[in-house]
Amino acid sequence: SQQGEEDPQALSIQEGENATMNCSYKTSINNLQWYRQNSGRGLVHLILIRSNEREKHSGRLRVTLDTSKKSSSLLITASRAADTASYFCATDGSSYKLIFGSGTRLLVRP
Amino acid sequence: EPEVTQTPSHQVTQMGQEVILRCVPISNHLYFYWYRQILGQKVEFLVSFYNNEISEKSEIFDDQFSVERPDGSNFTLKIRSTKLEDSAMYFCASSGNGVHTIYFGEGSWLTVV
């Protein structure tokens, strides 16, 4: 399978610090997407990076993609308490089906 | 901003009963999906739907499951005879033609007792 797997599984930081989450996958992809999920809520789309892109920014988010290592990272700069959530990477290959990783639980302490 | 809406937000049903989960995808989207998330586990793909037919389904999506687009706006997931292990959050999602960004709804919590 082309599962995305995130690490760390859990991350606790102080408000204002940066948070970095990593994702690895196994097979070739077309795109990699990052989602946020607040406890018991829906999946909020954060950013999509295509396989031919290496870096993408959106506000306080920075995503990198290294297809040679089959890995991606999500950096949240200047974190806020409201960033507390689970973050998932999801990959798609030859179809539109997304394969999700296990997620990183981020806690931002005020 | 357009969004995917799902109803009900919560449903408790007895084992063996039929359940229908409803979704209104984003209006100009052409691809529709159902995913599920068992408590504490990964989000899992169930089925994708395009041009009024299933385009792909997972092993989870067995004969107990069916999807339908009964009109131009709704997309439903039916579970014919629910089992305890069907208890999960079910997410509907949609995406536009040629655009891979997939937008998810808030989910429907299904508890089978």
Side-chain angles (χ1 to χ4, degrees):
Chain A
S1 73
Q2 56 181 67
Q3 294 164 307
E5 298 294 342
E6 290 90 338
D7 83 272
Q9 289 187 331
L11 180 62
S12 178
I13 59 173
Q14 201 71 35
E15 200 165 30
E17 293 179 341
N18 295 341
T20 300
M21 289 159 269
N22 303 295
C23 165
S24 61
Y25 56 92
K26 294 181 180 178
T27 62
S28 61
I29 62 170
N30 286 330
N31 307 281
L32 187 145
Q33 306 189 46
W34 284 90
Y35 289 85
R36 184 185 76 228
Q37 184 182 35
N38 290 80
S39 182
R41 303 293 301 277
L43 295 159
V44 176
H45 184 265
L46 296 176
I47 199 163
L48 178 151
I49 187 165
R50 301 183 195 281
S51 59
N52 61 355
E53 296 177 312
R54 292 296 165 258
E55 188 170 312
K56 206 160 180 181
H57 297 253
S58 176
R60 293 184 295 114
L61 305 180
R62 174 177 167 254
V63 169
T64 62
L65 179 64
D66 186 337
T67 52
S68 67
K69 295 180 179 176
K70 292 187 169 56
S71 67
S72 173
S73 67
L74 171 67
L75 168 68
I76 304 174
T77 60
S79 63
R80 305 166 183 167
D83 294 329
T84 294
S86 291
Y87 292 81
F88 297 89
C89 70
T91 56
D92 67 72
S94 57
S95 71
Y96 281 67
K97 176 178 73 175
L98 290 178
I99 305 295
F100 281 82
S102 304
T104 293
R105 294 188 309 280
L106 174 66
L107 172 64
V108 181
R109 304 186 304 274
Chain B
E1 187 174 315
E3 59 182 20
V4 177
T5 57
Q6 291 185 240
T7 55
S9 54
H10 296 86
Q11 182 159 353
V12 180
T13 190
Q14 289 204 325
M15 193 168 54
Q17 294 296 305
E18 176 183 283
V19 161
I20 297 176
L21 305 178
R22 292 183 166 80
C23 169
V24 179
I26 294 172
S27 63
N28 60 347
H29 282 184
L30 300 176
Y31 295 84
F32 314 114
Y33 314 85
W34 284 100
Y35 287 76
R36 78 172 186 190
Q37 185 181 31
I38 295 171
L39 189 63
Q41 297 188 21
K42 291 183 183 183
V43 177
E44 301 172 292
F45 170 79
L46 292 179
V47 66
S48 59
F49 191 87
Y50 172 73
N51 201 24
N52 286 319
E53 61 182 22
I54 290 173
S55 48
E56 192 169 357
K57 60 183 181 179
S58 71
E59 292 175 355
I60 303 167
F61 195 87
D62 62 22
D63 292 344
Q64 293 299 312
F65 291 87
S66 63
V67 289
E68 195 177 35
R69 188 156 163 81
D71 53 44
S73 59
N74 292 286
F75 180 51
T76 62
L77 174 69
K78 181 192 289 186
I79 309 174
R80 287 190 186 81
S81 178
T82 50
K83 309 183 188 76
L84 295 176
E85 54 265 36
D86 294 329
S87 295
M89 175 80 101
Y90 288 82
F91 292 108
C92 176
S94 69
S95 62
N97 192 26
V99 178
H100 287 248
T101 300
I102 297 178
Y103 295 93
F104 285 77
E106 282 289 313
S108 294
W109 269 114
L110 175 65
T111 301
V112 182
V113 297

